């Protein structure tokens, strides 16, 4: 695997691959890789000849009081994992490479409405930062396909919408959540959890599963159910952000006749903001 820091050098390599008729799969990340990211690369290998992963802690998607400075940066360990997973190129740009005119002057890409709800209302501007950097990475790599984890459910839907709206000829693949043996969704931010918090953290997924089960058993009082679920999380030490039962198609609140649902959730535990979701059908 070759690590590349500059856009022209990466383009040069990929031009040769493209001319040789190879397809390119992109795995964008912010680094501090875990088994969930490795699964993205595994999936990419099933669909593309050449795999490009990126590691860039994108300042545009962090709010002023968020963890941009403390976000774990573990490039050497990431390189080892990506090479072992069969990645061909790792692109690690500096902030100046990505935003040469500065953050403020960067042209932005924004998906309206979908970016403002749920995580977007707690983290204003977050998804605008994500869609801007992902658009740039798409422009730099020009992949045939790109791979995103479905733990970031709203992000995945927003990227699909952006690609459709802007007619980007890229196939977007959502990859299933990878969990630890206690069903905690793997996340780079799990590293912020103390051993005691790590023991509590799987409650988030347990509450999601219990909530989906009672809905499948017939309950439709969604607001009451999410209030109860958040109260249960707070009882064990979480600080709830939100939990919502929504339609998978547009993330709007589920009504009685909707059948394809997802529960979206976010909650703080110590220094970590954890997210998880559960899709189910009625
Ligand atoms: O999901 C992430 O890790 C980031 O939001 C992404 C897609 C790499 C953009 O910075």
């Amino acid at each position: 695997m070759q690590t590349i820091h500059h856009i022209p050098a990466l383009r040069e390599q990929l031009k040769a691959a493209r001319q040789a008729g190879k397809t390119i799969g992109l795995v964008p990340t912010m680094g501090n890789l875990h088994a969930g990211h490795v699964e993205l690369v595994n999936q990419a290998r099933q669909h593309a000849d050449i795999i490009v992963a990126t590691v860039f802690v994108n300042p545009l998607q962090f709010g002023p009081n968020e963890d941009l400075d403390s976000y774990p940066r573990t490039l050497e360990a990431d390189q080892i994992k990506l090479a072992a997973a069969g990645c061909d190129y790792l692109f690690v740009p500096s902030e100046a490479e990505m935003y040469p005119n500065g953050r403020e002057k960067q042209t932005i890409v924004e998906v309206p409405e979908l970016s403002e709800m749920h995580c977007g209302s707690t983290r204003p501007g977050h998804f605008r930062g994500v869609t801007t950097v992902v658009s740039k990475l798409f422009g730099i790599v020009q992949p045939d396909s790109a791979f995103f984890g479905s733990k970031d459910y709203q992000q995945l839907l927003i990227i699909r919408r952006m690609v459709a709206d802007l007619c980007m000829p890229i196939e977007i693949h959502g990859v299933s959540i990878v969990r630890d043996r206690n069903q905690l969704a793997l996340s780079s931010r799990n590293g912020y959890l103390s051993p005691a918090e790590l023991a509590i953290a799987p409650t988030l997924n347990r509450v999601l599963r219990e909530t989906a089960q009672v809905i499948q058993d017939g309950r439709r009082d969604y607001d009451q159910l999410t209030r109860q679920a958040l109260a249960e999380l707070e009882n064990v030490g979480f600080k709830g952000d939100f939990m919502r039962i929504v339609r998978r198609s547009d993330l709007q609140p589920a009504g009685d006749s909707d059948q394809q649902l997802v529960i979206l959730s976010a909650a703080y535990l110590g220094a970590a903001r954890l997210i998880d979701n559960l899709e189910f059908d009625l």
Side-chain angles (χ1 to χ4, degrees):
M1 184 184 75
Q2 205 176 324
T3 300
I4 297 179
H5 297 277
H6 299 289
I7 296 169
L10 180 64
R11 285 217 165 116
E12 199 54 35
Q13 295 291 334
L14 296 179
K15 191 168 147 201
R18 226 176 267 112
Q19 279 168 352
K22 309 271 191 207
T23 56
I24 296 169
L26 173 67
V27 178
T29 82
M30 296 206 303
N32 193 234
L33 305 181
H34 50 66
H37 297 107
V38 171
E39 183 56 18
L40 299 181
V41 177
N42 291 340
Q43 289 298 318
R45 290 222 70 83
Q46 311 285 317
H47 292 88
D49 302 318
I50 300 288
I51 311 306
V52 180
T54 66
V55 169
F56 178 60
V57 183
N58 173 33
L60 280 193
Q61 68 188 74
F62 287 79
N65 299 318
E66 293 186 348
D67 55 345
L68 173 61
D69 292 336
S70 57
Y71 197 86
R73 287 150 171 95
T74 54
L75 185 57
E76 270 182 40
D78 293 346
Q79 285 170 313
I80 292 168
K81 287 179 192 164
L82 289 168
C87 181
D88 298 286
Y89 297 103
L90 170 59
F91 180 52
V92 189
S94 63
E95 184 176 342
E97 187 77 7
M98 289 300 280
Y99 303 125
N101 300 316
R103 295 178 201 175
E104 303 305 320
K105 292 195 180 147
Q106 171 61 44
T107 299
I108 58 159
V109 177
E110 183 159 23
V111 174
E113 199 178 25
L114 265 182
S115 297
E116 286 135 35
M117 52 179 74
H118 312 310
C119 279
S121 77
T122 311
R123 305 183 68 193
H126 167 67
F127 288 118
R128 178 174 57 222
V130 171
T131 42
T132 298
V133 79
V134 170
S135 300
K136 290 199 68 144
L137 293 171
F138 285 174
I140 293 164
V141 175
Q142 297 177 32
D144 299 279
S145 51
F147 297 79
F148 297 88
S150 59
K151 176 168 68 67
D152 296 283
Y153 198 91
Q154 187 176 0
Q155 168 175 284
L156 179 57
L157 207 75
I158 288 170
I159 289 169
R160 286 191 198 284
R161 176 71 61 83
M162 173 185 83
V163 163
D165 282 358
L166 298 181
C167 307
M168 294 170 159
I170 301 168
E171 203 178 305
I172 302 299
H173 294 260
V175 177
S176 301
I177 300 176
V178 177
R179 299 181 181 279
D180 73 6
R181 61 191 165 85
N182 298 319
Q183 298 304 310
L184 173 64
L186 298 192
S187 163
S188 300
R189 289 188 168 99
N190 291 353
Y192 297 152
L193 299 171
S194 68
E197 289 161 349
L198 262 178
I200 294 167
T203 311
L204 181 57
N205 183 255
R206 180 174 58 72
V207 165
L208 289 184
R209 282 183 279 126
E210 287 169 359
T211 305
Q213 187 59 56
V214 294
I215 296 171
Q216 285 177 315
D217 292 344
R219 279 185 65 176
R220 295 291 179 270
D221 49 341
Y222 296 147
D223 286 345
Q224 172 67 11
L225 281 174
T226 50
R227 268 198 302 275
Q228 271 172 13
L230 283 169
E232 196 174 332
L233 288 174
E234 305 233 343
N235 277 341
V236 297
F238 282 88
K239 182 172 169 298
D241 181 351
F242 69 84
M243 183 167 304
R244 289 191 197 113
I245 299 160
V246 298
R247 301 194 290 243
R248 293 214 284 275
S249 56
D250 59 5
L251 307 188
Q252 291 291 342
D256 284 347
S257 61
D258 293 314
Q259 295 187 319
Q260 299 193 311
L261 306 184
V262 57
I263 313 180
L264 300 178
S265 64
Y268 299 91
L269 188 57
R273 180 176 180 275
L274 303 182
I275 58 174
D276 202 352
N277 65 74
L278 184 63
E279 292 183 317
F280 62 101
D281 291 332
L282 294 180

